[in-house]
Amino acid sequence: MKKVLVTGGLGFIGSHTVVNLIEEKYDVVIIDNLFNSKLEVLDRIEQITGVRPKFYQFDVQNISKLDEVFKNEKPDVIIHFAGYKAVGESCKKPLMYYKNNLESSFALIEMMEKYNCKNIVFSSSATVYGIPKKVPLTEEDPVQSSTSPYGETKVMIERILEDESKVHPEFNICLLRYFNPIGAHKSGLLGEDPNGIPNNLLPYINKVAVGKLDCVHVFGNDYPTVDGTGVRDYIHVCDLAKGHVLSLNKLKENPGLCIYNLGTGKGTSVLEIIKLYEEATGVKIPYVIDPRRDGDVAINYASNEKAKKELGFNCDFDVKQACLDGYNYQVAEEKRTKK
Ligand code: WQD
């Protein structure tokens, strides 16, 4: 299993995973339509690893171009990141999310059948658990309809892959359910820098830290949690990337269908994050308390025991390090764009 086709490989999690794959001597081919990423990331991957992975710029839904890539590259395994991922936007544009995220997955599965590519890792999400009845969440907890069309696409694609696994026992399918990916590569060359006002907490804090936004708006402090603010499982994106590379080892054992949570196993509240961020960076992060955000749950964090046991997964970085790495990336990005 040498050649890995990474869809969305220039995105936040995709690019960090590509760096790990190259470091583990995999032969990486990327497909990305640059909808939510930049071609410059390819230069940065080369700068970090000394290797420039082969890159195809098109939308995964383009079945004729996808067929060409499978015919010419003959990938052994697919890591499928490509997809729209903004929860709030998906509530405003459901059809765009269902079409894009499902059609791209259908195209890949058709190619798997046509070219006998038996291995796929799918970028799923904790959101498939819906509103958790208990925490920490384990892989045995029921998949429930999600609170957004974005989350529903993850539920549906998981189900499609599970059904594919029943008719293709030779397929090895790994569903990775991420919790809250944060941080950036230690080089400051890769990270998350969403356009416009960030929806997620850490990119928002990063912009406050570099003075691009004035203060953090904490969405509610009346939840039944340690300090009333939302609790989540924040995992360093480099630990998440490592989890993907470990899942490839699992696929080599021909496991059929396997499912893993990728989280730290610990919950951190919004106010605790702000405090850790200030301690890590020395930057004061002003905030105000706003009303709750629709669709938010109070607490959501993972049990990662199954990934630890079956993948040999563990977290090398804590939340504080992720805050510092994310901040350093933001500072570096500001300098680069100011040039
Ligand atoms: C985290 C906490 C907010 C912003 C989402 C998706 C999930 C996954 C990760 C894709 C919550 C609070 C946030 C802000 C705040 N994405 N918050 N002020 O909602 O846990 O998960 O991103 O797979 O599918 O649902 O992440 O970072 O938006 O929120 O107080 O400006 O921070 O209420 O408690 P979330 P988030």
Side-chain angles (χ1 to χ4, degrees):
M1 194 192 294
K2 190 81 181 98
K3 186 172 280 190
V4 189
L5 173 63
V6 183
T7 73
L10 296 185
F12 175 43
I13 303 169
S15 56
H16 286 82
T17 301
V18 165
V19 165
N20 267 27
L21 288 166
I22 292 170
E23 288 169 349
E24 292 298 317
K25 309 294 179 224
Y26 285 97
D27 178 7
V28 176
V29 176
I30 295 172
I31 298 175
D32 199 306
N33 66 358
L34 303 184
F35 174 81
N36 193 24
S37 55
K38 318 183 267 227
L39 188 57
E40 201 177 334
V41 172
L42 196 57
D43 301 330
R44 303 211 186 144
I45 289 172
E46 184 178 13
Q47 209 175 329
I48 293 168
T49 64
V51 172
R52 190 178 186 83
K54 200 180 270 189
F55 170 63
Y56 295 91
Q57 182 180 342
F58 65 86
D59 190 315
V60 176
Q61 298 174 81
N62 185 326
I63 199 90
S64 59
K65 288 190 175 177
L66 194 63
D67 194 290
E68 273 300 298
V69 170
F70 272 79
K71 191 164 28 202
N72 299 334
E73 300 292 349
K74 298 181 181 52
D76 304 299
V77 52
I78 302 160
I79 302 183
H80 180 31
F81 291 106
Y84 296 153
K85 64 160 193 173
V87 172
E89 183 185 55
S90 77
C91 297
K92 299 190 187 83
K93 302 175 181 173
L95 182 60
M96 179 178 124
Y97 271 69
Y98 285 116
K99 187 175 180 334
N100 181 74
N101 292 6
L102 294 176
E103 290 284 353
S104 53
S105 300
F106 295 155
L108 283 169
I109 296 169
E110 282 169 39
M111 292 299 108
M112 286 176 73
E113 293 183 338
K114 181 173 179 181
Y115 289 96
N116 193 32
C117 171
K118 297 187 301 184
N119 305 292
I120 185 168
V121 176
F122 174 60
S123 162
S124 190
S125 165
T127 198
V128 303
Y129 292 113
I131 298 177
K133 292 188 175 54
K134 64 169 185 58
V135 283
L137 283 155
T138 74
E139 291 83 352
E140 286 60 53
D141 283 318
V143 170
Q144 304 180 79
S145 64
S146 176
T147 53
S148 71
Y150 156 77
E152 277 304 278
T153 67
K154 296 297 186 184
V155 170
M156 292 174 180
I157 298 163
E158 281 202 3
R159 192 155 305 144
I160 290 158
L161 288 169
E162 284 168 7
D163 289 342
E164 274 295 291
S165 172
K166 290 172 191 152
V167 294
H168 287 284
E170 76 282 10
F171 278 7
N172 300 303
I173 298 171
C174 185
L175 309 178
L176 295 181
R177 294 171 178 168
Y178 313 153
F179 281 71
N180 290 57
I182 63 169
H185 191 265
K186 60 181 184 295
S187 63
L189 291 169
L190 297 179
E192 188 177 27
D193 189 18
N195 305 325
I197 307 290
N199 296 304
N200 296 138
L201 181 64
L202 267 296
Y204 198 105
I205 293 177
N206 287 337
K207 293 216 187 258
V208 171
V210 297
K212 295 200 79 166
L213 291 168
D214 60 3
C215 74
V216 174
H217 293 261
V218 177
F219 298 146
N221 66 345
D222 57 351
Y223 285 105
T225 63
V226 59
D227 55 22
T229 62
V231 171
R232 297 290 185 277
D233 186 331
Y234 297 99
I235 177 170
H236 196 296
V237 64
C238 292
D239 282 327
L240 195 58
K242 187 178 71 172
H244 286 76
V245 182
L246 291 171
S247 70
L248 298 189
N249 298 336
K250 187 68 185 174
L251 294 185
K252 290 169 188 166
E253 299 169 12
N254 295 316
L257 177 73
C258 49
I259 303 173
Y260 298 100
N261 287 340
L262 289 185
T264 66
K266 289 190 283 298
T268 308
S269 77
V270 178
L271 294 182
E272 287 169 336
I273 281 274
I274 291 174
K275 185 166 174 293
L276 286 167
Y277 194 98
E278 292 178 332
E279 286 169 7
T281 63
V283 177
K284 184 83 183 111
I285 302 295
Y287 66 87
V288 293
I289 303 291
D290 276 12
R292 292 183 177 189
R293 176 174 66 176
D294 288 349
D296 272 348
V297 297
I299 302 183
N300 192 351
Y301 64 89
S303 159
N304 60 8
E305 289 311 313
K306 189 180 175 193
K308 277 182 177 170
K309 188 160 148 272
E310 297 185 16
L311 300 182
F313 175 73
N314 62 27
C315 291
D316 294 328
F317 307 102
D318 62 12
V319 174
K320 198 167 175 180
Q321 184 62 49
C323 290
L324 180 58
D325 292 340
Y327 171 69
N328 289 339
Y329 168 76
Q330 193 70 52
V331 169
E333 202 59 14
E334 293 301 306
K335 285 194 188 116
R336 284 187 284 259
T337 44
K338 280 213 171 75
K339 263 188 197 153

